Amino acid sequence: MEKVLSFHQGTLPLLISMPHAGLRLTPAVQQGLVEPAQSLPDTDWHIPQLYDFARGLGASVVAAEYSRFVIDLNRPDDDKPLYVGATTGLYPATLFEGEPLFKDGQAPSAQERAGYLEAIWRPYHDTIGNELARLREQFGYALLWDAHSIRSHIPHLFEGKLPDFNLGTFNGASCDSQLAERLQGVCAKFEQYSHVLNGRFKGGHITRHYGDPANDIHAVQLELAQSTYMEEVEPFKYREDLAAPTQVVLQQLLETVLAWGKERYQA
């Protein structure tokens, strides 16, 4: 298995996770994908580029190298569903639009998938767990930002157009309510963008599993509408004219997370 993740260790108590940014495929997955899936349409495109300012803030950053079509790092290893209704699992079987992901009889075998769990999923989660433990040991608390994006229109998953900024705190269970309120306040300042807290996307496995406010680990997921920074159709081009103002909001959100943590724990 080739390199399965990239990791940068920062200097402040913030870890940014990018579980769906990967583009690599295993031979079995690449050979089995249906033609519409070959372009990897359900990728969280360009997320590392969009957050390229984060290292300068002092954040740690972990990003997946393998596509979610191989294994979804934001699902639990027991593959229990996270959402009621249409969703995708640990080993996706369909595209976001509901069509089969693999040609008949050409999905990876159970043995191959067990290998993906050990070689791709576990190292990613070990990295998150170890870094959050290090941050909490060093600073007394840890902050986790799970960075995602998705097409703004996917009728199979949600009705209408998705808000631009979709904050998720697992209905308040993954972070302090005051932090969530501050993040909503940041979004509200930028009236050209719409936002919601705990709407269609409340946070996946990473937010739910690692967010533990009682033990001083606060986790937030951001599902960002891709229309805010890129072309949502092939070739999925990054749009600097769209991305630059969106990055202003993202930076203020992350700075707010850091400022809240400092006030809460170091006052």
mmCIF file of all heavy atoms in Angstrom, residues 5 42 52 64 66 69 80 107 123 133 135 139 164 166 172 186 204 225 230 235 250:
data_model
loop_
_atom_site.group_PDB
_atom_site.id
_atom_site.type_symbol
_atom_site.label_atom_id
_atom_site.label_comp_id
_atom_site.label_asym_id
_atom_site.label_seq_id
_atom_site.Cartn_x
_atom_site.Cartn_y
_atom_site.Cartn_z
ATOM 1 N N LEU A 5 -1.634 8.657 4.077
ATOM 2 C CA LEU A 5 -2.055 9.949 4.604
ATOM 3 C C LEU A 5 -0.875 10.898 4.623
ATOM 4 O O LEU A 5 0.280 10.485 4.542
ATOM 5 C CB LEU A 5 -2.654 9.806 6.016
ATOM 6 C CG LEU A 5 -1.761 9.239 7.131
ATOM 7 C CD1 LEU A 5 -0.906 10.317 7.818
ATOM 8 C CD2 LEU A 5 -2.608 8.532 8.181
ATOM 9 N N ASP A 42 -17.435 12.196 -6.170
ATOM 10 C CA ASP A 42 -17.866 12.429 -4.786
ATOM 11 C C ASP A 42 -16.711 12.816 -3.866
ATOM 12 O O ASP A 42 -16.834 12.770 -2.637
ATOM 13 C CB ASP A 42 -18.582 11.191 -4.244
ATOM 14 C CG ASP A 42 -19.841 10.867 -5.037
ATOM 15 O OD1 ASP A 42 -20.312 11.752 -5.786
ATOM 16 O OD2 ASP A 42 -20.347 9.734 -4.919
ATOM 17 N N ASP A 52 -4.997 25.916 2.722
ATOM 18 C CA ASP A 52 -3.534 25.986 2.720
ATOM 19 C C ASP A 52 -2.984 27.033 3.683
ATOM 20 O O ASP A 52 -1.785 27.052 3.969
ATOM 21 C CB ASP A 52 -2.993 26.213 1.302
ATOM 22 C CG ASP A 52 -3.439 27.543 0.698
ATOM 23 O OD1 ASP A 52 -4.134 28.330 1.371
ATOM 24 O OD2 ASP A 52 -3.098 27.787 -0.478
ATOM 25 N N ALA A 64 -6.285 12.538 4.002
ATOM 26 C CA ALA A 64 -6.283 11.216 3.380
ATOM 27 C C ALA A 64 -5.639 11.273 2.007
ATOM 28 O O ALA A 64 -5.721 12.282 1.302
ATOM 29 C CB ALA A 64 -7.705 10.695 3.264
ATOM 30 N N TYR A 66 -6.075 8.225 -0.003
ATOM 31 C CA TYR A 66 -6.922 7.309 -0.777
ATOM 32 C C TYR A 66 -8.357 7.819 -0.836
ATOM 33 O O TYR A 66 -8.866 8.424 0.113
ATOM 34 C CB TYR A 66 -6.882 5.903 -0.178
ATOM 35 C CG TYR A 66 -5.688 5.113 -0.672
ATOM 36 C CD1 TYR A 66 -4.455 5.239 -0.041
ATOM 37 C CD2 TYR A 66 -5.779 4.286 -1.779
ATOM 38 C CE1 TYR A 66 -3.350 4.544 -0.495
ATOM 39 C CE2 TYR A 66 -4.675 3.583 -2.244
ATOM 40 C CZ TYR A 66 -3.473 3.719 -1.602
ATOM 41 O OH TYR A 66 -2.372 3.034 -2.074
ATOM 42 N N PHE A 69 -13.921 6.113 -2.219
ATOM 43 C CA PHE A 69 -14.425 4.957 -2.948
ATOM 44 C C PHE A 69 -13.708 3.675 -2.533
ATOM 45 O O PHE A 69 -14.210 2.577 -2.760
ATOM 46 C CB PHE A 69 -14.276 5.155 -4.456
ATOM 47 C CG PHE A 69 -15.231 6.169 -5.039
ATOM 48 C CD1 PHE A 69 -15.077 6.602 -6.348
ATOM 49 C CD2 PHE A 69 -16.287 6.682 -4.306
ATOM 50 C CE1 PHE A 69 -15.947 7.529 -6.906
ATOM 51 C CE2 PHE A 69 -17.162 7.608 -4.847
ATOM 52 C CZ PHE A 69 -16.990 8.037 -6.161
ATOM 53 N N LYS A 80 -21.907 0.882 11.016
ATOM 54 C CA LYS A 80 -23.278 1.214 11.408
ATOM 55 C C LYS A 80 -23.677 2.537 10.761
ATOM 56 O O LYS A 80 -22.887 3.485 10.733
ATOM 57 C CB LYS A 80 -23.379 1.322 12.932
ATOM 58 C CG LYS A 80 -23.282 -0.020 13.641
ATOM 59 C CD LYS A 80 -23.489 0.133 15.136
ATOM 60 C CE LYS A 80 -23.425 -1.229 15.826
ATOM 61 N NZ LYS A 80 -23.577 -1.101 17.304
ATOM 62 N N ALA A 107 -16.955 -5.485 -7.348
ATOM 63 C CA ALA A 107 -16.571 -4.783 -6.130
ATOM 64 C C ALA A 107 -15.405 -5.520 -5.472
ATOM 65 O O ALA A 107 -15.233 -6.734 -5.674
ATOM 66 C CB ALA A 107 -17.749 -4.713 -5.171
ATOM 67 N N PRO A 123 -4.623 3.608 10.285
ATOM 68 C CA PRO A 123 -3.568 4.623 10.428
ATOM 69 C C PRO A 123 -4.116 6.047 10.499
ATOM 70 O O PRO A 123 -3.579 6.874 11.241
ATOM 71 C CB PRO A 123 -2.712 4.416 9.172
ATOM 72 C CG PRO A 123 -2.918 2.989 8.814
ATOM 73 C CD PRO A 123 -4.347 2.700 9.156
ATOM 74 N N ALA A 133 -4.498 13.368 21.661
ATOM 75 C CA ALA A 133 -3.936 13.054 22.980
ATOM 76 C C ALA A 133 -2.720 13.922 23.271
ATOM 77 O O ALA A 133 -2.540 14.418 24.393
ATOM 78 C CB ALA A 133 -3.578 11.580 23.060
ATOM 79 N N LEU A 135 -2.062 16.926 21.979
ATOM 80 C CA LEU A 135 -2.499 18.297 22.184
ATOM 81 C C LEU A 135 -3.107 18.490 23.573
ATOM 82 O O LEU A 135 -2.822 19.485 24.256
ATOM 83 C CB LEU A 135 -3.509 18.698 21.104
ATOM 84 C CG LEU A 135 -2.980 18.752 19.672
ATOM 85 C CD1 LEU A 135 -4.112 19.040 18.697
ATOM 86 C CD2 LEU A 135 -1.874 19.787 19.529
ATOM 87 N N PHE A 139 -1.542 21.102 26.069
ATOM 88 C CA PHE A 139 -2.277 22.342 26.287
ATOM 89 C C PHE A 139 -3.389 22.233 27.333
ATOM 90 O O PHE A 139 -3.916 23.251 27.769
ATOM 91 C CB PHE A 139 -2.883 22.834 24.975
ATOM 92 C CG PHE A 139 -1.872 23.187 23.929
ATOM 93 C CD1 PHE A 139 -1.525 22.275 22.941
ATOM 94 C CD2 PHE A 139 -1.241 24.423 23.930
ATOM 95 C CE1 PHE A 139 -0.587 22.589 21.963
ATOM 96 C CE2 PHE A 139 -0.304 24.755 22.960
ATOM 97 C CZ PHE A 139 0.029 23.833 21.978
ATOM 98 N N ASP A 164 -24.429 27.191 2.247
ATOM 99 C CA ASP A 164 -23.005 27.274 1.926
ATOM 100 C C ASP A 164 -22.123 26.692 3.027
ATOM 101 O O ASP A 164 -21.218 25.905 2.760
ATOM 102 C CB ASP A 164 -22.624 28.735 1.676
ATOM 103 C CG ASP A 164 -23.344 29.336 0.494
ATOM 104 O OD1 ASP A 164 -23.456 28.647 -0.545
ATOM 105 O OD2 ASP A 164 -23.815 30.482 0.588
ATOM 106 N N ASN A 166 -22.181 24.494 6.417
ATOM 107 C CA ASN A 166 -22.979 23.560 7.205
ATOM 108 C C ASN A 166 -22.147 23.088 8.389
ATOM 109 O O ASN A 166 -21.296 22.203 8.267
ATOM 110 C CB ASN A 166 -23.391 22.366 6.341
ATOM 111 C CG ASN A 166 -24.235 22.781 5.153
ATOM 112 O OD1 ASN A 166 -25.465 22.766 5.215
ATOM 113 N ND2 ASN A 166 -23.585 23.169 4.057
ATOM 114 N N GLY A 172 -24.901 19.296 19.357
ATOM 115 C CA GLY A 172 -24.344 19.863 20.573
ATOM 116 C C GLY A 172 -23.514 18.913 21.411
ATOM 117 O O GLY A 172 -22.943 19.334 22.430
ATOM 118 N N VAL A 186 -19.804 34.137 13.449
ATOM 119 C CA VAL A 186 -18.875 34.441 12.362
ATOM 120 C C VAL A 186 -19.574 34.303 11.020
ATOM 121 O O VAL A 186 -19.502 35.192 10.165
ATOM 122 C CB VAL A 186 -17.642 33.515 12.431
ATOM 123 C CG1 VAL A 186 -16.783 33.697 11.181
ATOM 124 C CG2 VAL A 186 -16.820 33.803 13.680
ATOM 125 N N GLY A 204 -20.040 13.531 11.019
ATOM 126 C CA GLY A 204 -19.908 12.094 10.801
ATOM 127 C C GLY A 204 -19.191 11.405 11.949
ATOM 128 O O GLY A 204 -19.128 11.913 13.073
ATOM 129 N N ALA A 225 -20.423 23.864 0.881
ATOM 130 C CA ALA A 225 -20.937 23.712 -0.482
ATOM 131 C C ALA A 225 -19.823 24.023 -1.481
ATOM 132 O O ALA A 225 -19.163 25.060 -1.392
ATOM 133 C CB ALA A 225 -22.121 24.643 -0.706
ATOM 134 N N MET A 230 -15.374 26.305 -6.243
ATOM 135 C CA MET A 230 -14.952 25.503 -7.394
ATOM 136 C C MET A 230 -16.113 25.291 -8.359
ATOM 137 O O MET A 230 -17.262 25.626 -8.073
ATOM 138 C CB MET A 230 -14.424 24.140 -6.916
ATOM 139 C CG MET A 230 -15.468 23.323 -6.164
ATOM 140 S SD MET A 230 -14.936 21.626 -5.779
ATOM 141 C CE MET A 230 -15.307 20.824 -7.370
ATOM 142 N N PRO A 235 -14.214 19.421 -15.231
ATOM 143 C CA PRO A 235 -13.144 18.732 -14.495
ATOM 144 C C PRO A 235 -12.954 19.209 -13.071
ATOM 145 O O PRO A 235 -11.858 19.100 -12.518
ATOM 146 C CB PRO A 235 -11.915 19.038 -15.348
ATOM 147 C CG PRO A 235 -12.172 20.418 -15.866
ATOM 148 C CD PRO A 235 -13.656 20.482 -16.109
ATOM 149 N N LEU A 250 -13.317 31.011 6.259
ATOM 150 C CA LEU A 250 -12.698 29.844 6.884
ATOM 151 C C LEU A 250 -11.639 30.256 7.897
ATOM 152 O O LEU A 250 -11.561 29.699 8.996
ATOM 153 C CB LEU A 250 -12.081 28.936 5.818
ATOM 154 C CG LEU A 250 -13.054 28.231 4.882
ATOM 155 C CD1 LEU A 250 -12.291 27.478 3.800
ATOM 156 C CD2 LEU A 250 -13.961 27.278 5.653
#
